[in-house]
Amino acid sequence: MVARTMVRLGLVIGLVALVAACEAPKPTPGADSGTDTNAAMITWTDGRQAIKITCGMPGGCQSRALAMCRGNYTVLDMENMPTRGDAAEIRGTGTVVVRCAS
């Protein structure tokens, strides 16, 4: 009886930890440790607002752009994007500039 309760409690705690670890990317500017990104609003060369996102892990910039633009964006510039298996400490962080589509 006590063993079942302990197993159930362990499962519940594990699920809560899993949900917390899989937190959605931050949809506002600033740092987001979950996706290893930092986003800032900038003025692009055409004088309109854009979002500059720096990322350290593969997929981080895309996840953050999707969250900030609610799934619909255009890439204006991209530099040094990370890929799986490369050495981020040698390559440095990737940067992407996006504009949310209307």
Side-chain angles (χ1 to χ4, degrees):
M1 186 74 168
V2 172
R4 282 190 203 164
T5 304
M6 295 302 285
V7 168
R8 286 183 189 161
L9 181 61
L11 287 173
V12 169
I13 291 172
L15 287 174
V16 168
L18 180 63
V19 168
C22 296
E23 183 179 326
K26 185 177 173 182
T28 57
D32 182 16
S33 60
T35 58
D36 190 20
T37 60
N38 191 10
M41 300 302 293
I42 64 166
T43 302
W44 190 238
T45 56
D46 61 3
R48 295 173 49 204
Q49 287 288 86
I51 304 167
K52 181 177 181 179
I53 304 170
T54 58
C55 53
M57 65 183 208
C61 282
Q62 181 181 17
S63 298
R64 189 69 184 274
L66 287 169
M68 292 189 73
C69 294
R70 295 186 174 97
N72 199 6
Y73 65 91
T74 302
V75 175
L76 302 175
D77 188 34
M78 187 170 24
E79 294 180 14
N80 207 21
M81 292 307 292
T83 57
R84 293 194 188 283
D86 67 358
E89 58 275 355
I90 296 170
R91 175 192 38 78
T93 58
T95 303
V96 65
V97 178
V98 299
R99 179 173 291 138
C100 298
S102 304

